[in-house]
Amino acid sequence: MKKLSNEQISQVLSEAPGIIRDLVSENASLRDKVAGMERKEAAADLAETMHGKGLELDVTLEDLTARLEKAAEQGKLETYREAVELSGPDMGSKLASLSNNDGNHAATGSALERFLLGGIG
């Protein structure tokens, strides 16, 4: 085994703290980047699931992903995920509407009701 001189040992000991600080800083930076990439991927997956279930179809996938990324930064993505899991397929679309006037706006209701329903003007 090679023996180190006192000069070499003192040089190593003087350089080690700076190198360790640099490595810790680089490690923290890489952790932040990985966390950001994981958030983006999770947001994109959730956005695709939402569109697949018929939710938020009026918003583009990119815009929805960006909105979900912001929610992920605030720690709310899991809440969104749980809500999406509770929704069934095509819950975001309008399947039917109810009306009690059978399309005859002119014969029923007050003038205000007919106007609001499109029977006047």
Side-chain angles (χ1 to χ4, degrees):
M1 181 155 104
K2 184 177 176 184
K3 292 193 175 193
L4 297 175
S5 70
N6 285 340
E7 281 181 20
Q8 291 171 325
I9 292 173
S10 68
Q11 181 182 3
V12 168
L13 291 176
S14 67
E15 293 176 2
I19 293 172
I20 290 173
R21 276 191 292 275
D22 292 344
L23 290 174
V24 167
S25 174
E26 182 181 355
N27 191 4
S29 172
L30 292 174
R31 274 196 197 130
D32 290 343
K33 287 180 182 180
V34 168
M37 291 173 55
E38 287 174 345
R39 272 194 311 268
K40 185 172 184 167
E41 184 179 337
D45 289 344
L46 185 57
E48 288 180 19
T49 302
M50 289 174 76
H51 272 196
K53 288 190 172 193
L55 301 170
E56 300 286 340
L57 293 175
D58 57 331
V59 179
T60 65
L61 197 59
E62 292 81 21
D63 291 341
L64 184 58
T65 300
R67 188 186 320 159
L68 291 172
E69 279 184 68
K70 289 179 184 174
E73 290 172 2
Q74 298 170 356
K76 298 178 181 178
L77 189 66
E78 192 57 36
T79 305
Y80 278 87
R81 185 184 324 280
E82 290 172 3
V84 170
E85 287 175 7
L86 291 174
S87 67
D90 296 325
M91 287 190 74
S93 62
K94 183 178 178 181
L95 299 177
S97 65
L98 296 175
S99 175
N100 63 357
N101 59 13
D102 297 328
N104 187 5
H105 302 295
T108 61
S110 68
L112 176 63
E113 290 174 330
R114 289 192 310 265
F115 177 76
L116 292 174
L117 294 173
I120 298 176

